[in-house]
Short mmCIF file of all heavy atoms in Angstrom, two decimals:
data_model
loop_
_atom_site.label_atom_id
_atom_site.label_comp_id
_atom_site.label_asym_id
_atom_site.label_seq_id
_atom_site.Cartn_x
_atom_site.Cartn_y
_atom_site.Cartn_z
N THR A 214 102.90 124.07 64.96
CA THR A 214 102.36 124.27 66.31
C THR A 214 102.44 125.75 66.67
O THR A 214 103.30 126.48 66.14
CB THR A 214 103.16 123.48 67.38
OG1 THR A 214 104.48 124.03 67.47
CG2 THR A 214 103.22 122.00 67.05
N PRO A 215 101.60 126.20 67.59
CA PRO A 215 101.72 127.59 68.06
C PRO A 215 103.08 127.87 68.70
O PRO A 215 103.60 128.98 68.57
CB PRO A 215 100.59 127.71 69.09
CG PRO A 215 99.61 126.66 68.71
CD PRO A 215 100.42 125.53 68.12
N ALA A 216 103.67 126.87 69.33
CA ALA A 216 104.98 127.07 69.97
C ALA A 216 106.05 127.37 68.93
O ALA A 216 106.95 128.18 69.18
CB ALA A 216 105.36 125.83 70.78
N GLU A 217 105.98 126.71 67.76
CA GLU A 217 106.96 126.99 66.70
C GLU A 217 106.84 128.43 66.23
O GLU A 217 107.84 129.10 65.99
CB GLU A 217 106.76 126.04 65.52
CG GLU A 217 107.27 124.65 65.76
CD GLU A 217 107.11 123.77 64.52
OE1 GLU A 217 106.87 124.30 63.41
OE2 GLU A 217 107.22 122.55 64.67
N GLN A 218 105.61 128.92 66.08
CA GLN A 218 105.44 130.30 65.66
C GLN A 218 105.97 131.25 66.73
O GLN A 218 106.67 132.21 66.42
CB GLN A 218 103.98 130.64 65.37
CG GLN A 218 103.83 132.08 64.88
CD GLN A 218 102.41 132.48 64.58
OE1 GLN A 218 101.48 132.04 65.25
NE2 GLN A 218 102.25 133.32 63.58
N ALA A 219 105.67 130.98 67.99
CA ALA A 219 106.14 131.83 69.08
C ALA A 219 107.66 131.89 69.11
O ALA A 219 108.25 132.97 69.30
CB ALA A 219 105.60 131.32 70.42
N GLN A 220 108.30 130.76 68.85
CA GLN A 220 109.76 130.73 68.84
C GLN A 220 110.31 131.54 67.66
O GLN A 220 111.28 132.29 67.81
CB GLN A 220 110.25 129.28 68.75
CG GLN A 220 111.75 129.15 68.79
CD GLN A 220 112.20 127.69 68.71
OE1 GLN A 220 111.41 126.79 68.48
NE2 GLN A 220 113.48 127.47 68.90
N ALA A 221 109.70 131.41 66.48
CA ALA A 221 110.15 132.16 65.30
C ALA A 221 109.98 133.67 65.52
O ALA A 221 110.85 134.45 65.16
CB ALA A 221 109.38 131.71 64.07
N VAL A 222 108.87 134.06 66.10
CA VAL A 222 108.62 135.48 66.34
C VAL A 222 109.57 136.01 67.41
O VAL A 222 110.10 137.11 67.29
CB VAL A 222 107.14 135.73 66.72
CG1 VAL A 222 106.92 137.16 67.18
CG2 VAL A 222 106.24 135.40 65.54
N ALA A 223 109.82 135.22 68.45
CA ALA A 223 110.71 135.65 69.53
C ALA A 223 112.14 135.86 69.03
O ALA A 223 112.88 136.67 69.59
CB ALA A 223 110.71 134.62 70.67
N SER A 224 112.53 135.17 67.97
CA SER A 224 113.89 135.30 67.45
C SER A 224 114.07 136.53 66.55
O SER A 224 115.19 136.84 66.16
CB SER A 224 114.29 134.04 66.69
OG SER A 224 113.56 133.93 65.49
N LEU A 225 112.97 137.21 66.24
CA LEU A 225 113.06 138.41 65.39
C LEU A 225 113.56 139.61 66.17
O LEU A 225 113.15 139.82 67.32
CB LEU A 225 111.67 138.78 64.84
CG LEU A 225 111.04 137.89 63.80
CD1 LEU A 225 109.60 138.34 63.55
CD2 LEU A 225 111.83 137.93 62.51
N PRO A 226 114.42 140.42 65.57
CA PRO A 226 114.73 141.71 66.20
C PRO A 226 113.44 142.54 66.27
O PRO A 226 112.59 142.47 65.37
CB PRO A 226 115.74 142.35 65.25
CG PRO A 226 116.23 141.25 64.38
CD PRO A 226 115.15 140.21 64.34
N ARG A 227 113.28 143.30 67.30
CA ARG A 227 112.04 144.07 67.50
C ARG A 227 111.71 144.95 66.29
O ARG A 227 110.56 145.08 65.90
CB ARG A 227 112.15 144.93 68.77
CG ARG A 227 110.91 145.71 69.09
CD ARG A 227 109.77 144.77 69.49
NE ARG A 227 108.53 145.53 69.57
CZ ARG A 227 107.36 145.10 69.15
NH1 ARG A 227 107.25 143.90 68.65
NH2 ARG A 227 106.30 145.84 69.24
N GLU A 228 112.71 145.53 65.65
CA GLU A 228 112.45 146.43 64.51
C GLU A 228 111.94 145.68 63.28
O GLU A 228 111.41 146.28 62.35
CB GLU A 228 113.67 147.27 64.14
CG GLU A 228 114.88 146.48 63.68
CD GLU A 228 115.81 146.04 64.80
OE1 GLU A 228 115.49 146.22 65.99
OE2 GLU A 228 116.88 145.50 64.47
N ASP A 229 112.08 144.36 63.26
CA ASP A 229 111.57 143.56 62.14
C ASP A 229 110.16 143.05 62.36
O ASP A 229 109.59 142.40 61.49
CB ASP A 229 112.50 142.37 61.87
CG ASP A 229 113.84 142.80 61.29
OD1 ASP A 229 113.95 143.95 60.82
OD2 ASP A 229 114.78 141.99 61.32
N CYS A 230 109.60 143.31 63.53
CA CYS A 230 108.25 142.86 63.83
C CYS A 230 107.22 143.74 63.13
O CYS A 230 107.47 144.89 62.82
CB CYS A 230 108.01 142.86 65.34
SG CYS A 230 108.96 141.59 66.19
N LEU A 231 106.07 143.15 62.87
CA LEU A 231 105.00 143.88 62.21
C LEU A 231 104.13 144.66 63.19
O LEU A 231 103.48 145.62 62.80
CB LEU A 231 104.11 142.90 61.42
CG LEU A 231 104.80 142.08 60.33
CD1 LEU A 231 103.81 141.15 59.66
CD2 LEU A 231 105.48 142.97 59.32
N ASP A 232 104.13 144.26 64.44
CA ASP A 232 103.27 144.92 65.42
C ASP A 232 103.97 146.11 66.07
O ASP A 232 104.08 146.22 67.28
CB ASP A 232 102.78 143.92 66.47
CG ASP A 232 103.91 143.23 67.21
OD1 ASP A 232 105.06 143.28 66.73
OD2 ASP A 232 103.63 142.64 68.27
N VAL A 233 104.43 147.01 65.24
CA VAL A 233 105.05 148.25 65.70
C VAL A 233 104.13 149.41 65.35
O VAL A 233 103.33 149.32 64.41
CB VAL A 233 106.45 148.45 65.08
CG1 VAL A 233 107.43 147.43 65.61
CG2 VAL A 233 106.40 148.40 63.57
N ASP A 234 104.24 150.48 66.10
CA ASP A 234 103.32 151.62 65.93
C ASP A 234 103.41 152.25 64.55
O ASP A 234 102.42 152.76 64.03
CB ASP A 234 103.59 152.68 67.00
CG ASP A 234 103.20 152.22 68.39
OD1 ASP A 234 102.38 151.27 68.50
OD2 ASP A 234 103.72 152.79 69.37
N ASP A 235 104.60 152.24 63.95
CA ASP A 235 104.77 152.93 62.66
C ASP A 235 104.69 151.97 61.47
O ASP A 235 105.24 152.24 60.41
CB ASP A 235 106.08 153.70 62.64
CG ASP A 235 107.31 152.82 62.77
OD1 ASP A 235 107.17 151.63 63.14
OD2 ASP A 235 108.41 153.32 62.52
N PHE A 236 103.97 150.86 61.62
CA PHE A 236 103.86 149.86 60.56
C PHE A 236 103.33 150.47 59.27
O PHE A 236 103.90 150.30 58.20
CB PHE A 236 102.97 148.71 61.03
CG PHE A 236 102.78 147.62 60.01
CD1 PHE A 236 103.87 146.88 59.58
CD2 PHE A 236 101.54 147.33 59.49
CE1 PHE A 236 103.71 145.86 58.64
CE2 PHE A 236 101.37 146.32 58.56
CZ PHE A 236 102.46 145.58 58.14
N GLU A 237 102.23 151.20 59.34
CA GLU A 237 101.63 151.84 58.15
C GLU A 237 102.59 152.88 57.57
O GLU A 237 102.76 152.95 56.35
CB GLU A 237 100.29 152.48 58.50
CG GLU A 237 99.64 153.23 57.36
CD GLU A 237 99.10 152.33 56.25
OE1 GLU A 237 98.76 151.17 56.52
OE2 GLU A 237 98.99 152.80 55.10
N GLU A 238 103.23 153.66 58.41
CA GLU A 238 104.16 154.68 57.93
C GLU A 238 105.33 154.04 57.19
O GLU A 238 105.75 154.55 56.14
CB GLU A 238 104.69 155.50 59.11
CG GLU A 238 103.65 156.38 59.76
CD GLU A 238 104.16 157.00 61.06
OE1 GLU A 238 105.36 157.30 61.15
OE2 GLU A 238 103.34 157.15 61.98
N ARG A 239 105.86 152.95 57.72
CA ARG A 239 106.97 152.26 57.05
C ARG A 239 106.53 151.77 55.66
O ARG A 239 107.29 151.86 54.70
CB ARG A 239 107.45 151.07 57.87
CG ARG A 239 108.20 151.42 59.10
CD ARG A 239 108.66 150.15 59.77
NE ARG A 239 109.34 150.38 61.03
CZ ARG A 239 109.98 149.44 61.70
NH1 ARG A 239 110.04 148.21 61.23
NH2 ARG A 239 110.57 149.71 62.83
N TYR A 240 105.33 151.24 55.60
CA TYR A 240 104.81 150.77 54.31
C TYR A 240 104.71 151.94 53.34
O TYR A 240 105.18 151.86 52.19
CB TYR A 240 103.45 150.09 54.49
CG TYR A 240 102.71 149.89 53.19
CD1 TYR A 240 103.15 148.95 52.27
CD2 TYR A 240 101.59 150.65 52.88
CE1 TYR A 240 102.49 148.77 51.07
CE2 TYR A 240 100.93 150.47 51.67
CZ TYR A 240 101.37 149.54 50.77
OH TYR A 240 100.72 149.36 49.58
N GLN A 241 104.11 153.04 53.77
CA GLN A 241 103.94 154.21 52.90
C GLN A 241 105.29 154.78 52.47
O GLN A 241 105.46 155.20 51.32
CB GLN A 241 103.09 155.29 53.59
CG GLN A 241 101.65 154.88 53.85
CD GLN A 241 100.86 154.62 52.57
OE1 GLN A 241 101.21 155.06 51.49
NE2 GLN A 241 99.79 153.86 52.72
N GLN A 242 106.27 154.79 53.36
CA GLN A 242 107.61 155.26 53.02
C GLN A 242 108.26 154.37 51.96
O GLN A 242 108.92 154.85 51.04
CB GLN A 242 108.50 155.33 54.26
CG GLN A 242 108.13 156.45 55.20
CD GLN A 242 108.86 156.36 56.54
OE1 GLN A 242 109.56 155.39 56.83
NE2 GLN A 242 108.70 157.39 57.36
N ALA A 243 108.09 153.06 52.09
CA ALA A 243 108.65 152.12 51.10
C ALA A 243 108.00 152.33 49.74
O ALA A 243 108.69 152.31 48.71
CB ALA A 243 108.48 150.69 51.58
N VAL A 244 106.68 152.53 49.72
CA VAL A 244 105.98 152.77 48.45
C VAL A 244 106.48 154.07 47.82
O VAL A 244 106.77 154.12 46.62
CB VAL A 244 104.44 152.82 48.68
CG1 VAL A 244 103.73 153.32 47.43
CG2 VAL A 244 103.92 151.45 49.09
N GLU A 245 106.62 155.11 48.63
CA GLU A 245 107.08 156.41 48.11
C GLU A 245 108.52 156.33 47.62
O GLU A 245 108.85 156.88 46.57
CB GLU A 245 106.94 157.49 49.19
CG GLU A 245 107.39 158.86 48.74
CD GLU A 245 106.64 159.43 47.55
OE1 GLU A 245 105.51 159.00 47.26
OE2 GLU A 245 107.20 160.33 46.87
N ALA A 246 109.39 155.64 48.34
CA ALA A 246 110.78 155.49 47.91
C ALA A 246 110.85 154.76 46.58
O ALA A 246 111.63 155.13 45.69
CB ALA A 246 111.59 154.74 48.97
N HIS A 247 110.02 153.74 46.40
CA HIS A 247 109.99 153.01 45.14
C HIS A 247 109.48 153.91 44.01
O HIS A 247 110.05 153.92 42.92
CB HIS A 247 109.10 151.77 45.26
CG HIS A 247 108.94 151.04 43.97
ND1 HIS A 247 109.97 150.31 43.41
CD2 HIS A 247 107.90 150.94 43.12
CE1 HIS A 247 109.56 149.79 42.26
NE2 HIS A 247 108.30 150.17 42.07
N ARG A 248 108.43 154.69 44.28
CA ARG A 248 107.89 155.59 43.27
C ARG A 248 108.95 156.60 42.83
O ARG A 248 109.12 156.86 41.65
CB ARG A 248 106.66 156.32 43.82
CG ARG A 248 105.93 157.16 42.76
CD ARG A 248 104.94 158.13 43.37
NE ARG A 248 105.57 159.15 44.20
CZ ARG A 248 106.25 160.19 43.72
NH1 ARG A 248 106.42 160.35 42.43
NH2 ARG A 248 106.79 161.08 44.54
N GLN A 249 109.70 157.13 43.78
CA GLN A 249 110.76 158.10 43.45
C GLN A 249 111.87 157.45 42.64
O GLN A 249 112.41 158.06 41.72
CB GLN A 249 111.31 158.73 44.72
CG GLN A 249 110.34 159.69 45.38
CD GLN A 249 110.87 160.27 46.68
OE1 GLN A 249 111.99 159.98 47.10
NE2 GLN A 249 110.06 161.08 47.33
N GLU A 250 112.22 156.21 42.97
CA GLU A 250 113.26 155.50 42.23
C GLU A 250 112.82 155.24 40.79
O GLU A 250 113.60 155.40 39.85
CB GLU A 250 113.62 154.19 42.94
CG GLU A 250 114.68 153.38 42.25
CD GLU A 250 116.06 154.03 42.24
OE1 GLU A 250 116.27 155.04 42.94
OE2 GLU A 250 116.93 153.53 41.51
N VAL A 251 111.57 154.85 40.61
CA VAL A 251 111.04 154.63 39.26
C VAL A 251 111.06 155.94 38.48
O VAL A 251 111.45 155.97 37.30
CB VAL A 251 109.61 154.04 39.33
CG1 VAL A 251 108.93 154.09 37.98
CG2 VAL A 251 109.66 152.62 39.87
N GLN A 252 110.68 157.01 39.13
CA GLN A 252 110.67 158.33 38.47
C GLN A 252 112.09 158.76 38.09
O GLN A 252 112.33 159.26 37.00
CB GLN A 252 110.04 159.36 39.40
CG GLN A 252 109.81 160.71 38.77
CD GLN A 252 109.10 161.66 39.72
OE1 GLN A 252 109.23 161.56 40.94
NE2 GLN A 252 108.34 162.58 39.16
N ARG A 253 113.06 158.53 38.99
CA ARG A 253 114.45 158.88 38.70
C ARG A 253 114.98 158.10 37.50
O ARG A 253 115.61 158.67 36.60
CB ARG A 253 115.32 158.60 39.94
CG ARG A 253 116.79 158.99 39.76
CD ARG A 253 117.66 158.48 40.89
NE ARG A 253 117.74 157.04 40.96
CZ ARG A 253 118.47 156.27 40.14
NH1 ARG A 253 119.17 156.82 39.17
NH2 ARG A 253 118.50 154.96 40.29
N LYS A 254 114.69 156.81 37.45
CA LYS A 254 115.15 155.99 36.33
C LYS A 254 114.50 156.42 35.02
O LYS A 254 115.14 156.41 33.97
CB LYS A 254 114.88 154.51 36.60
CG LYS A 254 115.80 153.93 37.64
CD LYS A 254 115.50 152.46 37.88
CE LYS A 254 116.43 151.86 38.90
NZ LYS A 254 116.13 150.44 39.15
N ALA A 255 113.24 156.81 35.08
CA ALA A 255 112.55 157.27 33.87
C ALA A 255 113.20 158.56 33.36
O ALA A 255 113.37 158.74 32.14
CB ALA A 255 111.07 157.49 34.16
N GLN A 256 113.56 159.44 34.26
CA GLN A 256 114.22 160.69 33.85
C GLN A 256 115.58 160.40 33.24
O GLN A 256 115.97 161.03 32.25
CB GLN A 256 114.37 161.63 35.04
CG GLN A 256 113.06 162.25 35.48
CD GLN A 256 113.19 163.06 36.76
OE1 GLN A 256 114.19 162.97 37.47
NE2 GLN A 256 112.16 163.84 37.06
N GLU A 257 116.31 159.45 33.79
CA GLU A 257 117.61 159.08 33.23
C GLU A 257 117.45 158.53 31.81
O GLU A 257 118.25 158.84 30.93
CB GLU A 257 118.30 158.04 34.10
CG GLU A 257 118.94 158.59 35.34
CD GLU A 257 119.62 157.52 36.17
OE1 GLU A 257 119.66 156.34 35.74
OE2 GLU A 257 120.13 157.85 37.26
N ARG A 258 116.43 157.72 31.60
CA ARG A 258 116.20 157.17 30.26
C ARG A 258 115.85 158.26 29.26
O ARG A 258 116.25 158.21 28.10
CB ARG A 258 115.10 156.12 30.29
CG ARG A 258 115.53 154.79 30.85
CD ARG A 258 114.51 153.70 30.62
NE ARG A 258 113.21 154.00 31.20
CZ ARG A 258 112.85 153.74 32.45
NH1 ARG A 258 113.70 153.16 33.26
NH2 ARG A 258 111.65 154.05 32.89
N GLN A 259 115.10 159.26 29.69
CA GLN A 259 114.73 160.36 28.80
C GLN A 259 115.93 161.20 28.42
O GLN A 259 115.98 161.76 27.33
CB GLN A 259 113.68 161.25 29.47
CG GLN A 259 112.32 160.62 29.54
CD GLN A 259 111.33 161.49 30.29
OE1 GLN A 259 111.69 162.46 30.94
NE2 GLN A 259 110.06 161.13 30.21
N GLN A 260 116.91 161.28 29.30
CA GLN A 260 118.11 162.07 29.01
C GLN A 260 119.06 161.36 28.06
O GLN A 260 119.99 161.95 27.55
CB GLN A 260 118.84 162.40 30.32
CG GLN A 260 118.06 163.32 31.22
CD GLN A 260 118.71 163.49 32.57
OE1 GLN A 260 119.73 162.87 32.87
NE2 GLN A 260 118.11 164.32 33.42
N GLY A 261 118.79 160.10 27.81
CA GLY A 261 119.64 159.33 26.91
C GLY A 261 120.79 158.68 27.64
O GLY A 261 121.03 158.95 28.81
#
């Protein structure tokens, strides 16, 4: 029901909601952090 969804969304902390102004920025930051982590691990493997 729509009421169940409204209740589930209302129970979310505001920072966990998707309808925030920096939604795209958060996504891009997560992608970049993952890319850097992959790069760091690759460098560690190259060093032996």
